[in-house]
Amino acid sequence: MILEPLANYLFVSVVLFTVGVYGLVTKKNALRMLFAVEILINSANLNFVAFTRYLHPTSVTGQALAMFSISLAAAEAAVGLAIILAVFRLRRDVDVSEIKGLRG
Amino acid sequence: MVDAVFALLAVVTVVSAILALEAKEVVYGAVALALSFVGVAGFFALLDAVFLAMFQLTVYVGAIAVLILFTVMLVRRERWLKTKEGVYKSVGIVASLAVAVGLGYLVYSSSITHVTTTVEQAPFTLIGALILSEYWAALVALSLVLASAVVGAVVLAKLERD
């Protein structure tokens, strides 16, 4: 099977990263911001695997790093969703522009 | 020449990522996000990282996406359907387009653009050996992070309402 050139994977990763940045900048709903962070992490993982496949295919370092990254993302999602649930119980909404309790 | 499977995966992944952020109903957004994770798992499979593709499917689609879906259903509000972003939206589009042009130009102008390989990918059975030999410290740290994340999530979930 013929492989794509590395650049195609990098371009997909760039587009995913762009979508993630867009969501993180625009959205005020904490859930949507969490979605955007997950998309960003996915684009980074794609880079890890693509680079190790093309530039160092005799090792699996990139895959191991991507595994660590996915596990970290799972922990991050669990804590983030717990925070969102706690904020929702206190405020009845998760709009980050309305949550000013810690503002100095 | 772009492979048809690659093009299909790229379209599915990117479009569902955009849908995850732009769908009016957050529940549909969460489902689209899960579809985007499946697309990335497909990319992993194309890159001969079969184990990682399965790992992505079980952890991301099986655990994270389902957890997100549960939370979305718990905290959903009707008024989210008519939120306006206003000036933030144009600022966000400009900012992210700047990021896209910058990173895209970086990839395009670099010497790695046409890199391709004929070497077989090393078998995924090496991952376990690599993690336990070279990256054992990271593995221990990660297990501690996961344990403390679980404890923290439970504490936050038990927070009493004042």
Side-chain angles (χ1 to χ4, degrees):
Chain A
M1 189 180 143
I2 306 151
L3 282 166
E4 301 286 321
L6 171 60
N8 289 1
Y9 287 100
L10 296 186
F11 280 129
V12 171
S13 178
V14 165
V15 173
L16 275 183
F17 191 84
T18 308
V19 173
V21 169
Y22 162 76
L24 212 51
V25 173
T26 346
K27 300 299 170 192
K28 286 192 239 163
N29 188 331
L31 277 166
R32 300 271 195 193
M33 295 178 78
L34 196 75
F35 290 5
V37 172
E38 300 294 341
I39 293 170
L40 286 174
I41 293 173
N42 263 290
S43 89
N45 289 346
L46 190 55
N47 261 357
F48 276 136
V49 181
F51 271 110
T52 206
R53 176 69 187 91
Y54 284 92
L55 299 184
H56 205 183
T58 51
S59 83
V60 288
T61 316
Q63 294 184 32
L65 288 180
M67 254 184 78
F68 284 134
S69 167
I70 292 174
S71 314
L72 266 182
E76 173 258 355
V79 175
L81 289 171
I83 291 175
I84 288 176
L85 268 182
V87 167
F88 182 80
R89 278 200 298 189
L90 293 172
R91 308 292 304 252
R92 309 308 298 170
D93 204 351
V94 292
D95 190 330
V96 290
S97 62
E98 300 290 325
I99 302 164
K100 299 169 182 161
L102 292 181
R103 181 171 291 176
Chain B
M1 183 59 200
V2 177
D3 184 47
V5 179
F6 180 89
L8 187 74
L9 271 179
V11 169
V12 166
T13 310
V14 171
V15 168
S16 54
I18 294 172
L19 258 181
L21 297 170
E22 289 302 325
K24 282 274 176 223
E25 180 69 70
V26 189
V27 178
Y28 297 156
V31 175
L33 190 69
L35 191 61
S36 180
F37 294 157
V38 175
V40 175
F43 280 126
F44 289 163
L46 274 188
L47 286 163
D48 298 330
V50 192
F51 174 74
L52 203 61
M54 283 313 295
F55 195 74
Q56 164 99 358
L57 279 181
T58 46
V59 175
Y60 255 114
V61 185
I64 298 182
V66 172
L67 197 64
I68 287 177
L69 205 56
F70 264 116
T71 315
V72 166
M73 286 171 174
L74 281 175
V75 306
R76 203 171 65 89
R77 305 247 84 173
E78 289 298 326
R79 65 168 174 274
W80 289 356
L81 290 175
K82 35 186 188 293
T83 44
K84 291 267 181 292
E85 276 124 17
V87 68
Y88 282 104
K89 188 152 190 163
S90 42
V91 170
I93 288 174
V94 170
S96 53
L97 274 183
V99 170
V101 170
L103 288 178
Y105 179 74
L106 204 64
V107 173
Y108 182 75
S109 63
S110 66
S111 58
I112 56 172
T113 313
H114 299 294
V115 166
T116 187
T117 182
T118 51
V119 185
E120 286 280 305
Q121 170 73 52
F124 61 81
T125 45
L126 293 177
I127 294 177
L130 187 71
I131 284 178
L132 286 176
S133 59
E134 207 169 328
Y135 296 118
W136 64 271
L139 188 69
V140 172
L142 184 67
S143 62
L144 290 176
V145 167
L146 277 173
S148 52
V150 169
V151 173
V154 169
V155 168
L156 281 171
K158 280 175 67 72
L159 203 66
E160 295 295 324
R161 197 190 306 170
D162 295 317

